[in-house]
Amino acid sequence: GAVVSQHPSRVICKSGTSVKIECRSLDFQATTMFWYRQFPKQSLMLMATSNEGSKATYEQGVEKDKFLINHASLTLSTLTVTSAHPEDSSFYICSARDGTSGNTIYFGEGSWLTVV
Amino acid sequence: KQEVTQIPAALSVPEGENLVLNCSFTDSAIYNLQWFRQDPGKGLTSLLLIQSSQREQTSGRLNASLDKSSGRSTLYIAASQPGDSATYLCAVRPSNDYKLSFGAGTTVTVRA
């Protein structure tokens, strides 16, 4: 079946630095990808919708200048957390829409970010 | 705005008991509903997906029902095992979008 790969699966960064998380669709082209965030013991919350070749659409309350999303190709979207703070420590997970397979949505494995 | 609620938040049962997990949603205009499993520190594993036109889906010991008009879905896990211990999330996809709305999950512990 279709696979969405996320990298890195775990990352620790220092406060004030930036960290990039990649989301790749391995065997299909994803015109739309989604980024979610999950704080401990809470549900997944949609952060933004990433559209290939255009600007991402952010959900209310999500800082677009802090969470930079780039969808440069049909198989890759990146989320960059800029000037990370400890409160940005969370589980980030992406999903991708396969437009050729009934618009099925596939999830990546997720990335655990710890800011120290 | 779609609100998804999962009750109970946590559940502990002895091995062999059947599990019943509930999910309710406020907007019945859905495309499908999906149940996921999440192990601690891990990503999501899709368990069952029910299209809006379906009433239930089954996979092995798992059975999920959907009553779209009343905004409810139930996940049944038969003859629970310690390996079933995890957090179970339900997610709803609206009929006019691809953004999923997730419940907060039910954390299940199956005691040996």
Side-chain angles (χ1 to χ4, degrees), chain B:
Chain B
K1 182 176 181 286
Q2 179 74 273
E3 300 287 342
V4 182
T5 304
Q6 289 187 247
I7 294 174
L11 188 60
S12 178
V13 299
E15 183 176 5
E17 265 199 22
N18 297 330
L19 290 164
V20 180
L21 309 180
N22 298 300
C23 172
S24 62
F25 47 95
T26 55
D27 186 350
S28 62
I30 67 169
Y31 185 80
N32 59 38
L33 182 146
Q34 196 163 2
W35 284 93
F36 294 89
R37 169 182 172 141
Q38 185 177 33
D39 292 290
K42 303 290 185 181
L44 301 180
T45 300
S46 178
L47 298 175
L48 290 168
L49 184 148
I50 312 176
Q51 301 294 347
S52 62
S53 59
Q54 298 176 318
R55 297 284 293 182
E56 67 175 352
Q57 277 286 343
T58 299
S59 176
R61 294 184 294 111
L62 276 60
N63 175 277
S65 65
L66 173 64
D67 185 342
K68 195 175 77 165
S69 60
S70 67
R72 294 179 183 175
S73 177
T74 302
L75 177 66
Y76 301 90
I77 303 177
S80 61
Q81 304 168 358
D84 294 328
S85 298
T87 296
Y88 293 83
L89 299 169
C90 73
V92 173
R93 179 182 150 185
S95 55
N96 60 353
D97 205 339
Y98 301 104
K99 303 176 185 178
L100 302 189
S101 295
F102 283 84
T106 295
T107 299
V108 171
T109 302
V110 181
R111 308 185 303 271

